[in-house]
Structures are given as structure tokens and as C-alpha cells.
């Protein structure tokens, strides 16, 4: 059975790996992103998750092209690190607006059709930072921890409609936001990871696909850590 899948922030990094993995198993995949051209072979939708109208329009185009949505992967994310005392309100709000409220806008839009059809999968991409907290990431950690609470609430609210809501919390992934790390930073981070390496985007995609699969039909409200053990105990 092929499904209609939408991945926010699916034009590059982890989102693109997720989108490609769904497409490789035959699903009809749309990727929503703000800038640039979309990746070859996937339906590309211009969408700013900080703008509700833009989210509504992108979901409508995805449904027109691919049919009613079966799976939403809320992956779009950003970071603006800075120590608390110097962090501007705008910087805190921008990160929350994209990472948390953006995922809320996408989930709300997805749930419209899913509740009617009484089926669907919501997967939110959080981060190990939600549980461990890192200096300079008050905004980012708050947004990613917020996703965990939101998914738990949605898991209960949407269960009667046959919809599951789960979270994937990657550790440091060798893609996207980490591309700017220096070799020393990478070494230091890797030393803390029990499995001794960064995650690949594919490691993360595999967890997302499992949570979206029929095998995970009885799994809802959980956070699956894909972090090589970095967050053990949290
Ligand atoms: P990238 O920076 O490579 O990609 C971010 C994606 O989000 C891009 O597609 C970008 O679109 C999109 N995006 C950002 N803001 C918006 C917006 N307002 N509206 C629509 N799309 C937007 O990041 P990664 O691949 O590294 O990260 C993907 C997710 O995984 C994020 O949520 C991140 O927090 C999380 N994560 C990443 C980790 C890592 O180590 N890389 C670790 C743990 C979690 P555009 O290209 O148009 O800007």
C-alpha cells in the first residue's frame, strides 16, 4: 500500500533523507521548504511553517497531487544559539515559531483530513537537546522539548481517530545543522556517544519509517531516541 507523505524541511539534510526513504519504498512524497529548488523526483512545495496560510496552501497542493495525507513528518527546524543573558526575545521567539509552532501548524492541517479518514501518522523531529539541554540552546531545547509534550497531548487527543503521534529525537547527525562543526567539536561530541559516532541521516529516517509503518500501529505518544546512547537515562 503506497501512502501520501509530507515532510516539512524535506529539501535537504535529515528531511531529505527521510523523504527519499519513503519514496524508495514507493510512497508519494511531498517536501515543503522555504527556499531554493526542491530535490529531483519529489513533489516540491514552497512553504514557510511560520505562516499558517502558507502551510494551508502547501497541504492543499500536496493533497491535490498525491491524495489525502497519510503521514506527516514535522521536520523543519532552525537554531540560533546564544547564551541566555545576551539572547534577544526575537531570537527565542523565531526558534520557537519555526520548531514548535511550525510543527503545531503542520499537525493541525494534517489532522483535518486524518480525523475525517480516521487514520494517520504524525512524526515530530525533536532532538537529544530536548532532554539533555546544552548551554546556549535555551530557545532550541525549549522548542524541542515542547514537541515531546505536544506529541503526548496529540497522541491522546487523536487516538480515537486512529491517528498516532510520536517523536524521533536524534543525537548529533552528520548532516544539516552540524555541517559547520569543526573537527575538534566533532571529536569532542563523538567521545560522549556510547556508540562512538555521529548518527547518519539514514539512521534517523529508519526510525521515522518504522513509526509510520503498519508494524508500529500500536505505538503512540513515545519518543524514540536515535542518538547512539548519548541521552541514556533521560
Ligand atoms: P537543515 O538546516 O539541513 O534543514 C532544515 C530544514 O528546515 C530545511 O529544509 C529548511 O528549509 C527547513 N526550514 C527551516 N525553517 C523553515 C520554515 N520557516 N519553513 C519551512 N521550512 C523551514 O537541518 P537538519 O537536516 O540538520 O535538521 C532537520 C531537523 O532535525 C531539525 O528539526 C533539527 O532541529 C533536527 N535535528 C538535527 C540534528 C543534527 O544534528 N543535524 C540533531 C537533532 C535534531 P530551507 O532549505 O528552505 O531553509
Amino acid at each position: 500500500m503506497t501512502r501520501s507523505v509530507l515532510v516539512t524541511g524535506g529539501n535537504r539534510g535529515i528531511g531529505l533523507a527521510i523523504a527519499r526513504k519513503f519514496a524508495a519504498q514507493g510512497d508519494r512524497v511531498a517536501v515543503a521548504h522555504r527556499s531554493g529548488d526542491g530535490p529531483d523526483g519529489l513533489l516540491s512545495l514552497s512553504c514557510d511553517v511560520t505562516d499558517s496560510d502558507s502551510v494551508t496552501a502547501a497541504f492543499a497542493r500536496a493533497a491535490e497531487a498525491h491524495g489525502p495525507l497519510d503521514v506527516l513528518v514535522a521536520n523543519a527546524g532552525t537554531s540560533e544559539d546564544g547564551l541566555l543573558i545576551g539572547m534577544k526575545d526575537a531570537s527565542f521567539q523565531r526558534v520557537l515559531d519555526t520548531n514548535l509552532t511550525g510543527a503545531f501548524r503542520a499537525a493541525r492541517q494534517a489532522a483535518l483530513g486524518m480525523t475525517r479518514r480516521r487514520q494517520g501518522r504524525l512524526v515530530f523531529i525533536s532532538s537529544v537537546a530536548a532532554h539533555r539541554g546544552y548551554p546556549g540552546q535555551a530557545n532550541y531545547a525549549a522548542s524541542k522539548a515542547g514537541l515531546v509534550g505536544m506529541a503526548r497531548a496529540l497522541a491522546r487527543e487523536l487516538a480515537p481517530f486512529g491517528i498516532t503521534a510520536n517523536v524521533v529525537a536524534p543525537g548529533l547527525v552528520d548532516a544539516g545543522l552540524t555541517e559547520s562543526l569543526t573537527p575538534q567539536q566533532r571529536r569532542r561530541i563523538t567521545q560522549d556517544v556510547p556508540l562512538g559516532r555521529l548518527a547518519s541521516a539514514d539512521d534517523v529516517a529508519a526510525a521515522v519509517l518504522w513509526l509510520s509503518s503498519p508494524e508500529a500501529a500500536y505505538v503512540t505518544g513515545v519518543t524514540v531516541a536515535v542518538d547512539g546512547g548519548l541521552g541514556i537515562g533521560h
Side-chain angles (χ1 to χ4, degrees), residues 107-165:
R108 181 176 58 188
Q109 199 60 42
L112 269 178
M114 289 177 178
T115 47
R116 249 181 264 128
R117 297 173 64 228
R118 304 188 82 79
Q119 65 176 64
R121 299 295 170 90
L122 305 175
V123 182
F124 299 95
I125 307 301
S126 174
S127 165
V128 68
H131 306 291
R132 280 179 59 108
Y134 291 104
Q137 292 202 314
N139 49 5
Y140 185 77
S143 71
K144 293 299 183 180
L147 290 175
V148 175
M150 184 166 76
R152 288 177 179 171
L154 295 182
R156 289 187 194 277
E157 181 176 325
L158 299 175
F161 299 94
I163 300 165
T164 65

Side-chain angles (χ1 to χ4, degrees), residues 64-140:
E64 254 169 52
H66 288 164
L69 193 68
D70 297 299
V71 180
L72 167 68
V73 184
N75 162 82
T78 191
S79 60
E80 283 184 41
D81 293 0
L83 297 176
L84 176 65
I85 288 171
M87 190 179 281
K88 303 276 186 259
D89 288 15
S91 172
F92 191 87
Q93 280 160 359
R94 267 195 301 271
V95 172
L96 268 287
D97 198 22
T98 299
N99 296 4
L100 180 58
T101 318
F104 153 75
R105 293 185 186 98
R108 181 176 58 188
Q109 199 60 42
L112 269 178
M114 289 177 178
T115 47
R116 249 181 264 128
R117 297 173 64 228
R118 304 188 82 79
Q119 65 176 64
R121 299 295 170 90
L122 305 175
V123 182
F124 299 95
I125 307 301
S126 174
S127 165
V128 68
H131 306 291
R132 280 179 59 108
Y134 291 104
Q137 292 202 314
N139 49 5
Y140 185 77

Side-chain angles (χ1 to χ4, degrees), residues 3-100:
R3 294 166 307 170
S4 167
V5 178
L6 192 150
V7 183
T8 66
N11 60 326
R12 57 192 169 99
I14 296 168
L16 179 57
I18 294 167
R20 290 249 183 258
K21 223 176 176 65
F22 276 110
Q25 68 174 24
D27 291 318
R28 305 180 299 285
V29 184
V31 298
H33 56 96
R34 282 173 308 183
S35 57
D37 295 329
D40 289 344
L42 300 172
L43 174 65
S44 170
L45 306 169
S46 164
C47 171
D48 183 343
V49 297
T50 66
D51 175 348
S52 293
D53 291 342
S54 170
V55 171
T56 303
F59 275 69
R61 285 184 46 216
E64 254 169 52
H66 288 164
L69 193 68
D70 297 299
V71 180
L72 167 68
V73 184
N75 162 82
T78 191
S79 60
E80 283 184 41
D81 293 0
L83 297 176
L84 176 65
I85 288 171
M87 190 179 281
K88 303 276 186 259
D89 288 15
S91 172
F92 191 87
Q93 280 160 359
R94 267 195 301 271
V95 172
L96 268 287
D97 198 22
T98 299
N99 296 4
L100 180 58

Side-chain angles (χ1 to χ4, degrees), residues 174-196:
D174 208 356
L177 295 179
T178 57
E179 267 159 14
S180 56
L181 291 177
T182 64
Q184 285 118 307
Q185 285 173 317
R186 276 170 190 268
R187 257 197 309 281
R188 194 167 39 74
I189 290 161
T190 308
Q191 276 166 10
D192 286 342
V193 179
L195 287 178

